[in-house]
Amino acid sequence: MSTSPRLAAAKRDWGHDETGCTTLHIDMDAFFASCEIARHPELKGRPVIIGTGPRSVVSAASYEARPFGVNSAMPTATARRLCPQGVFLPVDMTYYREISRRVFALFGEVTDRIERVSVDECYMDVSGALRRWERPTAIGAWLREEVARTFGLTCSVGVASNKLVAKLASTNAKPNGMLLIPVARQAEFVQMLPLRSIPGVGPSLGRRLEHWGVTTVAQLARLDETEIAQACGSTTHAHSLYLAARGLDTRVVMPVSPEKSIGAERTFDMDAVTAGEVTSLLLWGADRVASTLRGKRLMARTITVKLRFADLSYSTKSHTLETPVTMASAIYPQSVRLLERMLGMPEGSASDNDARLPRPVRLAGVSVSGLADTATTPVQASFDDLLAEEDAGMGPCSSDGRATRIAGSARVHDDSDDDGGNVDTDGKRGRSDNVGGGTGGVRDHMTNTTARSVNAIRMGQAEKALDSIRQRYGSDAVRLGLRRPQGTHRTDKE
């Protein structure tokens, strides 16, 4: 469900010259709601709203719900007030993903040059399919007809020479339309749109540009690249905005898009007011993200924490590490530090579960980015790391089962900036028992740094043991640590 600004005047005939317009953007219309209506035809013509929890937000709304002011990301409670006669249904991602899989299989009959953006949206490079289809608009028309005939759903199609203009065209073709923007008119088309139509121009950047007197794409196009850089504070962002204001985009359709980030977030049933409630959720998120990283054989360098507050405003803060990580024992301590900095709390204060937060938190989450393939990413081990590996001397599946016991009792503490923090195998702070066996004399002479490295290695072994359990019994069969979650939080994402 797109919430990008649309302009009624943009939905018109821009001409019929399709030369060079080999990029299509296909966006399913109100996908979740439309899937439910296709499954329950008796709902056709009624305002259908996806999202039912008292603390949830609207995931999608049928077009019949739009006149009541209902939109995605709106609190469900607000939607109920605006549209009490609406049909409110829970999110069924398993069903939506299956329909999405079948829809994309249909798209694949045209070309394999498909860049999937989300469950209901993609780009297509149809240059190689024109010998059969002759015109890009013929492909767009066929896709719309087949989606409607096969699935009882509608989609909107943008046809242009690049991804930016195709995306803007499909947005302004909604619902159930197709818009062709010839190459010669793409600058004119883009420059008639609201500034917020340009991807990447959110509320914050929009306000900064307003200070420069820029409220439309046409006004943005009058600035040179240096002026845009001064306005937005980023030369890289300025270059993309400079091109966008002229209807230009150098990005190509990527059939296999590399994963950009991995994250996990949850909404609290009641606003969290203590540090323990949020750090408990961050520990869950770090564990889930780290397990996903390892399952996909990826490493991450940047950690980001996201908070949404009671007024639905949100904040994010990131930290980039010198060494990429794959373990929750490295991600969690960093996420706690980010939490403290975001809320202006003294360093280390979040370790007190009962510490009051400066403001209530509605949702919290952690994500990682700067992803790289584990097999091809060199990581230089320090001398202490090498000593620690020798001292640890225990694989994740040792015959005596000690790794499993470590997994069951591990706690993560934020004592330093080292990846992995200080992980105690008995849950007591400051103690390093000789779990590996036979190395007590060596440990007495180890530096604190090496001791932390040993703990980090053992924690890594423990986390890999948890992966084995999850593969056999499911992702929710076991969780990292023995911390009792502070408060409750929902499993659905906002």
Side-chain angles (χ1 to χ4, degrees):
M1 177 175 168
S2 174
T3 57
S4 299
R6 300 170 198 163
L7 188 66
K11 192 175 183 179
R12 62 182 176 85
D13 187 346
W14 288 86
H16 306 283
D17 183 1
E18 302 185 35
T19 306
C21 293
T22 56
T23 300
L24 271 60
H25 181 265
I26 303 102
D27 197 354
M28 303 300 294
D29 296 325
F31 183 57
F32 293 177
S34 297
C35 285
E36 294 293 351
I37 294 170
R39 179 160 58 172
H40 303 288
E42 68 275 11
L43 298 179
K44 188 173 183 179
R46 300 180 63 184
V48 175
I49 300 163
I50 308 302
T52 57
R55 308 262 306 157
S56 67
V57 296
V58 173
S59 296
S62 68
Y63 286 94
E64 290 79 5
R66 309 295 175 85
F68 295 93
V70 178
N71 288 296
S72 64
M74 171 185 291
T76 302
T78 301
R80 288 187 184 278
R81 288 196 300 271
L82 293 174
C83 187
Q85 65 271 54
V87 178
F88 289 80
L89 300 174
V91 175
D92 187 351
M93 284 306 302
T94 301
Y95 172 59
Y96 306 148
R97 288 192 182 105
E98 173 58 22
I99 298 298
S100 174
R101 184 192 64 78
R102 293 165 57 192
V103 168
F104 276 86
L106 174 66
F107 293 169
E109 295 182 20
V110 174
T111 178
D112 60 355
R113 303 286 299 173
I114 299 174
E115 179 181 338
R116 185 166 180 164
V117 179
S118 67
V119 71
D120 63 348
E121 178 184 358
C122 72
Y123 293 98
M124 297 176 67
D125 176 358
V126 299
S127 55
L130 293 184
R131 177 174 295 182
R132 173 187 173 192
W133 293 90
E134 295 185 356
R135 294 179 297 108
T137 54
I139 295 174
W142 183 82
L143 290 173
R144 293 176 57 220
E145 291 170 2
E146 287 301 300
V147 166
R149 183 183 66 82
T150 307
F151 306 105
L153 306 174
T154 64
C155 62
S156 297
V157 179
V159 184
S161 68
N162 61 58
K163 292 168 72 172
L164 169 71
V165 180
K167 165 74 171 176
L168 295 174
S170 71
T171 297
N172 284 280
K174 283 183 172 290
N176 192 22
M178 181 167 65
L179 199 56
L180 164 68
I181 308 299
V183 174
R185 306 199 66 183
Q186 59 190 21
E188 178 187 354
F189 167 71
V190 170
Q191 289 171 16
M192 75 178 299
L193 299 175
L195 185 61
R196 289 286 301 278
S197 298
I198 302 297
V201 179
S204 178
L205 180 55
R207 286 191 294 269
R208 296 185 67 171
L209 291 171
E210 283 181 13
H211 291 318
W212 284 69
V214 176
T215 58
T216 66
V217 179
Q219 291 170 334
L220 181 65
R222 298 189 191 109
L223 301 182
D224 61 35
E225 198 165 329
T226 301
E227 291 173 319
I228 298 175
Q230 292 174 339
C232 70
S234 167
T235 56
T236 301
H237 203 171
H239 182 65
S240 63
L241 289 176
Y242 179 83
L243 295 176
R246 290 155 179 77
L248 304 176
D249 186 1
T250 59
R251 298 173 301 157
V252 298
V253 174
M254 300 286 289
V256 180
S257 299
E259 197 151 19
K260 295 181 180 180
S261 66
I262 295 172
E265 63 184 44
R266 281 184 172 177
T267 303
F268 292 98
D269 284 338
M270 298 183 63
D271 290 346
V273 295
T274 63
E277 295 175 89
V278 180
T279 57
S280 174
L281 196 150
L282 291 180
L283 178 60
W284 165 84
D287 185 27
R288 196 177 188 95
V289 166
S291 182
T292 302
L293 279 174
R294 294 189 296 272
K296 296 186 176 184
R297 303 184 186 279
L298 295 172
M299 307 181 81
R301 193 178 294 272
T302 300
I303 299 168
T304 301
V305 168
K306 172 185 175 182
L307 299 178
R308 189 182 293 276
F309 303 104
D311 61 359
L312 295 186
S313 64
Y314 70 90
S315 176
T316 62
K317 187 173 282 292
S318 302
H319 176 64
T320 299
L321 305 168
E322 291 185 4
T323 303
V325 296
T326 62
M327 299 295 169
S329 54
I331 296 170
Y332 172 68
Q334 295 291 342
S335 68
V336 173
R337 294 190 192 101
L338 290 170
L339 169 69
E340 291 170 341
R341 292 206 290 266
M342 291 171 73
L343 295 178
M345 300 172 66
E347 184 174 351
S349 61
S351 61
D352 178 3
N353 286 344
D354 296 324
R356 303 289 293 185
L357 300 175
R359 58 189 300 194
V361 173
R362 178 188 179 95
L363 170 148
V366 60
S367 64
V368 294
S369 55
L371 306 182
D373 191 326
T374 302
T376 59
T377 303
V379 177
Q380 181 65 48
S382 69
F383 181 68
D384 286 318
D385 290 335
L386 296 176
L387 287 178
E389 288 180 7
E390 180 179 352
D391 182 75
M394 181 179 64
C397 298
S398 57
S399 58
D400 62 2
R402 284 174 180 164
T404 303
R405 288 199 294 274
I406 293 173
S409 61
R411 281 175 175 263
V412 181
H413 298 290
D414 185 15
D415 282 356
S416 72
D417 288 335
D418 292 342
D419 291 345
N422 177 13
V423 183
D424 296 325
T425 57
D426 64 353
K428 296 179 181 179
R429 195 174 186 86
R431 179 177 172 183
S432 297
D433 287 344
N434 181 13
V435 179
T439 57
V442 176
R443 180 171 289 110
D444 290 339
H445 300 285
M446 288 167 57
T447 63
N448 289 335
T449 302
T450 307
R452 285 193 295 267
S453 297
V454 170
N455 288 328
I457 290 171
R458 288 182 174 160
M459 194 65 201
Q461 294 168 344
E463 291 189 44
K464 290 177 182 177
L466 296 185
D467 290 342
S468 298
I469 297 171
R470 288 169 177 142
Q471 288 172 6
R472 184 170 182 178
Y473 298 106
S475 60
D476 295 325
V478 64
R479 65 163 51 192
L480 181 68
L482 291 176
R483 289 187 59 176
R484 182 179 298 279
Q486 302 291 311
T488 57
H489 37 80
R490 301 176 60 82
T491 58
D492 57 311
K493 292 179 66 175
E494 281 203 334

